[in-house]
Amino acid sequence: MSLLGKKALDVAANLGRRRFLNSAAALGAVTVGLAACKENTQGSAASAPAAAAPKAAPKTEITAAPETRGFVGGAGSTEIHPGQLDTHYGVWSGGHTGDLRVLGIPSGRELARVPGCCPDALVGWGITNESKAVMGTKPDGTLEFTTGDTHHVHCSYKDGIYDGKYCFVNDKLNARLVRVRLDYMVTDKILKLPHVQGFHGIFPDKRDPVDPSINYTTRVFCGQEFRVPLEKIDNNTVNDDANYGCVFTCVDSEKMEVKWQARIDGNCDLVATSYDGKLAATNQYNTEGGVTYPDMMSAEVDACLFFNVARIEQAIKDGKFTHLGNNKIPVVDCRAEANKDPKTALAVPVPVPKNPHGVNASPDGKYFVCSGKLSPTCTVIELQKVLDWFDGKLDDIAKAVVAEVEVGLGPLHTTFDGRGNAYTTLFLDSQICKWNVEQAIKKYAGDKNINPVIDKIDVMYQPGHISATHAETSAADGVWMGVGNKFSKDRFLPVGPLHAENDQLLDITGERMVLVHDTPVRGEPHDFVIFKREWLNPKQIYNMEDFPLAVPSAEEAGVTRNGNKVTVRMVSFAPAFEPNVFKVKLGDEVTVILTNIDRVEDLTHGFGLPDYNIQFIVNPQETKSVTFKADKPGVFWYYCTNFCHALHLEMRGRMIVES
């Protein structure tokens, strides 16, 4: 057994579970540091360049276990009684299920899952013709992808707050941008990004960067995490990582088409945008361009890369762009070598400590905060100083950094309460740190008597993303704050080796944070936003006129044949289908078009066809269709799969396949 392995067992034997979790996390960080400190002779994980271990953060004695603080603060109780509604919506990424999850806050009750990247048997996503068209298919009609990994969720804006129109989420696995219509809570567009692998960070713009009269979202910015050959793919490029690169992508939020891409040094992590629309940014943890983790952490300084969006789009208008391969998307050069002159630069890297993770915009519009991950610090960047650099008014872009506040071990993401305070997750410490932005700036400027850290609280365990109510908007109110913990350990009943994750809710109305709720969630969600229910007005019944294939009434239902292609136009109304029987021949291509003509809220019907792998639902006034080959002879009862009526079990019909 290795020395490190024996040390881990000794730790486990001598510490309680709570202390073991923190010690094990810290030991993991030391293990990485030891591996990275070996001399680099082969460029392998076992022989990486030297890298400093994280500095210890200053002790903060105000930490208390959540059980000692009480579970009700100024925000009130999390208990929502029968018949009552939650005050807020929470919109979560679904992780490996490739969907979007809608929760009620503060209860934490899951209200809906909106499928996007992956098939969903409940609603028939990936089965109906309409959903296949959104997801994308191969030439043979089968789905191009049946997997996904949704990470980061952000909504469209108007006047600096959410407009309730769209929600966007990225699929890291297959480089897809998913758009969800919030009026019906359905995915309506999915875009595959060209030249991209490891599509990680996204953020919509908050207003147009070119036209000041446009005060709403027009673009979505997308970061690439995995460096790949960009020019061409052959044996030379795939085997020589010097040919690898990344692009930063701008997508038209309405058309869901790529507007432009920018070549960059290193890779992207997360993305943020300014409230005035002028700047987009991505923090970078691999400016070295490494392909192994020791190489990726060899440099002591990485960057937060800022893009001057208006300049980029003017350069494209002026014809100053290239293409990658046969793709006709305009590509500009935002690499450092091509952007040394501030007055013509399209992008600029602001130096930050090595391997930062999150980047978040403060609701007052003044700052971006980069979390350190391998440094126990958060870096505060003043956006006006970045703009000053582009205008030639700042001689050194490093002066845009106005604070480096020590918060603790493993800072990942930051959120805000609208009162000048920031809250950062500490992955290694399993804590949240509350700190004051202006106090951090004053200390950085030289006032050593100031301690910007206000409070710390334990969470369970290893927190990642964090978001307070309205914190990604100019209306941050500092009431509730959610934190997503990657481990739950002893918090819930054991259900086998795969544990639930733990989304926790905190009351942040007072000086000290109060942990008020645990919510087990199926892995692996990532990011989320929380906003008051008044900001969203979902529709309860569809508009039938939105569906070109709709069957408006039972009188217009029926069966038609064109050669071996059969179309069945069908309606559902509780508790019947019309027609309730149709005949086809073996080998026919059958298309069933089903409209739910009921107008009653919450009266959803399903359509299940045994042995043909078909099941989907239709909501009131909605139309869906499915196409399949009648390749099995016999009688097949289609039935309503969604309980709708006292005679629900009798709601059925027959497909007769004649040989």
Side-chain angles (χ1 to χ4, degrees):
M1 179 180 294
S2 69
L3 179 61
L4 283 173
K6 185 176 185 302
K7 177 64 175 176
L9 291 178
D10 290 343
V11 169
N14 291 288
L15 294 179
R17 182 179 307 204
R18 169 72 190 163
R19 293 174 61 200
F20 170 67
L21 287 167
N22 285 343
S23 300
L27 181 60
V30 172
T31 304
V32 171
L34 289 174
C37 286
K38 296 182 180 180
E39 185 178 353
N40 183 12
T41 58
Q42 302 294 327
S44 67
S47 56
K55 295 187 299 180
K59 281 279 262 191
T60 302
E61 300 299 336
I62 51 181
T63 303
E67 288 78 7
T68 68
R69 295 192 176 192
F71 292 92
V72 178
S77 173
T78 62
E79 184 177 4
I80 303 298
H81 294 283
Q84 292 183 337
L85 301 179
D86 282 284
T87 57
H88 292 73
Y89 283 102
V91 185
W92 259 250
S93 67
H96 307 148
T97 54
D99 56 16
L100 196 72
R101 302 175 186 178
V102 183
L103 276 62
I105 299 296
S107 71
R109 299 180 296 201
E110 185 175 292
L111 305 176
R113 293 193 178 189
V114 182
C117 296
C118 304
D120 183 283
L122 171 67
V123 301
W125 190 256
I127 295 174
T128 64
N129 295 330
E130 293 77 14
S131 61
K132 284 183 176 181
V134 174
M135 295 180 74
T137 57
K138 300 176 183 177
D140 65 359
T142 60
L143 292 174
E144 184 177 7
F145 301 107
T146 58
T147 57
D149 186 16
T150 52
H151 276 222
H152 301 113
V153 175
H154 296 290
C155 299
S156 55
Y157 287 81
K158 184 176 182 179
D159 289 326
I161 63 173
Y162 299 138
D163 61 5
K165 187 174 184 181
Y166 295 128
C167 190
F168 302 93
V169 63
N170 69 305
D171 171 18
K172 178 175 179 176
L173 182 64
N174 296 309
R176 293 178 290 177
L177 178 65
V178 179
R179 187 178 77 182
V180 173
R181 282 183 56 170
L182 291 177
D183 56 352
Y184 289 119
M185 294 286 186
V186 295
T187 298
D188 75 328
K189 294 282 187 180
I190 298 179
L191 173 66
K192 180 81 166 69
L193 300 183
H195 317 301
V196 174
Q197 282 189 29
F199 169 27
H200 199 202
I202 68 166
F203 218 102
D205 64 2
K206 300 181 179 75
R207 66 181 306 124
D208 193 281
V210 179
D211 186 346
S213 68
I214 299 176
N215 60 347
Y216 52 85
T217 292
T218 57
R219 299 159 177 80
V220 181
F221 297 101
C222 310
Q224 177 175 351
E225 195 174 7
F226 302 158
R227 299 172 67 251
V228 294
L230 293 175
E231 300 289 353
K232 60 181 179 178
I233 298 177
D234 57 29
N235 288 340
N236 291 328
T237 59
V238 299
N239 288 297
D240 184 359
D241 56 26
N243 294 307
Y244 294 5
C246 280
V247 292
F248 186 79
T249 302
C250 176
V251 173
D252 185 305
S253 62
E254 197 63 42
K255 296 179 180 178
M256 284 292 281
E257 297 174 355
V258 176
K259 289 175 65 72
W260 49 263
Q261 293 184 311
R263 295 197 65 169
I264 63 173
D265 300 303
N267 61 257
C268 304
D269 182 34
L270 299 189
V271 175
T273 60
S274 61
Y275 281 86
D276 60 10
K278 296 179 180 180
L279 297 170
T282 177
N283 59 319
Q284 300 179 284
Y285 66 85
N286 183 27
T287 54
E288 306 94 324
V291 294
T292 64
Y293 80 83
D295 293 337
M296 294 178 194
M297 53 188 286
S298 59
E300 289 303 314
V301 177
D302 278 304
C304 184
L305 181 61
F306 284 83
F307 300 87
N308 189 318
V309 181
R311 280 194 190 176
I312 289 173
E313 298 193 356
Q314 185 61 51
I316 292 171
K317 285 184 178 180
D318 295 340
K320 298 176 182 178
F321 62 87
T322 59
H323 299 295
L324 291 174
N326 296 323
N327 199 303
K328 297 305 179 183
I329 295 170
V331 179
V332 295
D333 192 346
C334 286
R335 291 171 290 188
E337 188 63 31
N339 292 272
K340 293 182 177 180
D341 184 351
K343 293 188 177 181
T344 60
L346 305 181
V348 61
V350 176
V352 297
K354 65 189 299 179
N355 293 68
H357 195 58
V359 56
N360 301 93
S362 63
D364 59 10
K366 295 180 180 179
Y367 309 109
F368 281 1
V369 175
C370 287
S371 301
K373 193 170 76 171
L374 296 189
S375 169
T377 60
C378 286
T379 302
V380 182
I381 301 170
E382 185 175 335
L383 301 186
Q384 184 56 53
K385 291 183 181 295
V386 176
L387 293 172
D388 287 346
W389 184 88
F390 279 116
D391 290 338
K393 300 176 183 177
L394 187 71
D395 62 336
D396 184 358
I397 191 60
K399 293 180 180 178
V401 174
V402 294
E404 288 280 359
V405 56
E406 294 193 25
V407 292
L409 291 180
L412 294 187
H413 298 280
T414 298
T415 192
F416 307 90
D417 62 11
R419 298 186 293 270
N421 302 312
Y423 302 76
T424 300
T425 53
L426 306 178
F427 185 83
L428 296 181
D429 283 339
S430 285
Q431 290 180 328
I432 307 299
C433 177
K434 176 181 178 180
W435 53 280
N436 184 270
V437 177
E438 294 299 333
Q439 293 295 305
I441 293 171
K442 289 178 181 178
K443 181 171 184 177
Y444 189 77
D447 190 342
K448 303 304 181 185
N449 295 319
I450 292 177
N451 180 11
V453 174
I454 299 169
D455 188 24
K456 288 185 177 181
I457 190 171
D458 294 337
V459 291
M460 288 71 186
Y461 304 93
Q462 274 68 59
H465 280 281
I466 188 171
S467 187
T469 43
H470 319 151
E472 301 281 6
T473 79
S474 59
D477 65 1
V479 178
W480 301 112
M481 181 174 71
V483 55
N485 299 291
K486 295 304 181 185
F487 299 92
S488 62
K489 309 296 182 185
D490 50 12
R491 300 298 286 183
F492 309 116
L493 290 172
V495 287
L498 181 61
H499 287 57
E501 294 188 17
N502 188 8
D503 281 346
Q504 294 186 302
L505 189 69
L506 293 91
D507 182 325
I508 58 171
T509 56
E511 189 77 356
R512 303 183 70 190
M513 296 170 280
V514 180
L515 178 60
V516 295
H517 200 275
D518 281 8
T519 301
V521 292
R522 186 183 183 194
E524 187 198 38
H526 285 79
D527 200 8
F528 54 94
V529 294
I530 304 173
F531 51 90
K532 55 187 176 183
R533 68 189 189 201
E534 290 82 4
W535 289 11
L536 191 63
N537 293 289
K539 297 177 181 178
Q540 306 301 303
I541 296 175
Y542 277 96
N543 180 2
M544 188 183 292
E545 295 177 357
D546 291 340
F547 301 94
L549 298 179
V551 186
S553 65
E555 289 73 24
E556 297 179 64
V559 181
T560 58
R561 173 180 289 274
N562 183 10
N564 69 337
K565 295 184 177 181
V566 177
T567 300
V568 183
R569 289 168 51 82
M570 184 181 296
V571 298
S572 62
F573 52 94
F577 292 104
E578 179 62 41
N580 60 13
V581 62
F582 65 90
K583 295 181 181 181
V584 298
K585 298 184 183 301
L586 188 66
D588 281 347
E589 180 185 285
V590 182
T591 297
V592 174
I593 303 169
L594 176 60
T595 298
N596 178 351
I597 62 174
D598 280 315
R599 296 178 179 271
V600 179
E601 178 182 335
D602 200 23
L603 188 50
T604 296
H605 296 303
F607 181 88
L609 187 62
D611 297 339
Y612 276 89
N613 199 35
I614 292 171
Q615 140 46 39
F616 61 92
I617 64 171
V618 280
N619 293 293
Q621 300 290 290
E622 184 181 22
T623 298
K624 290 181 181 176
S625 64
V626 65
T627 300
F628 59 96
K629 185 175 182 179
D631 56 2
K632 292 178 280 290
V635 175
F636 301 90
W637 287 90
Y638 49 91
Y639 67 99
C640 181
T641 57
N642 207 77
F643 196 93
C644 61
H645 192 273
L647 295 177
H648 167 70
L649 293 180
E650 287 78 13
M651 186 173 174
R652 66 182 76 167
R654 290 171 294 156
M655 178 179 76
I656 298 175
V657 182
E658 299 175 335
S659 58

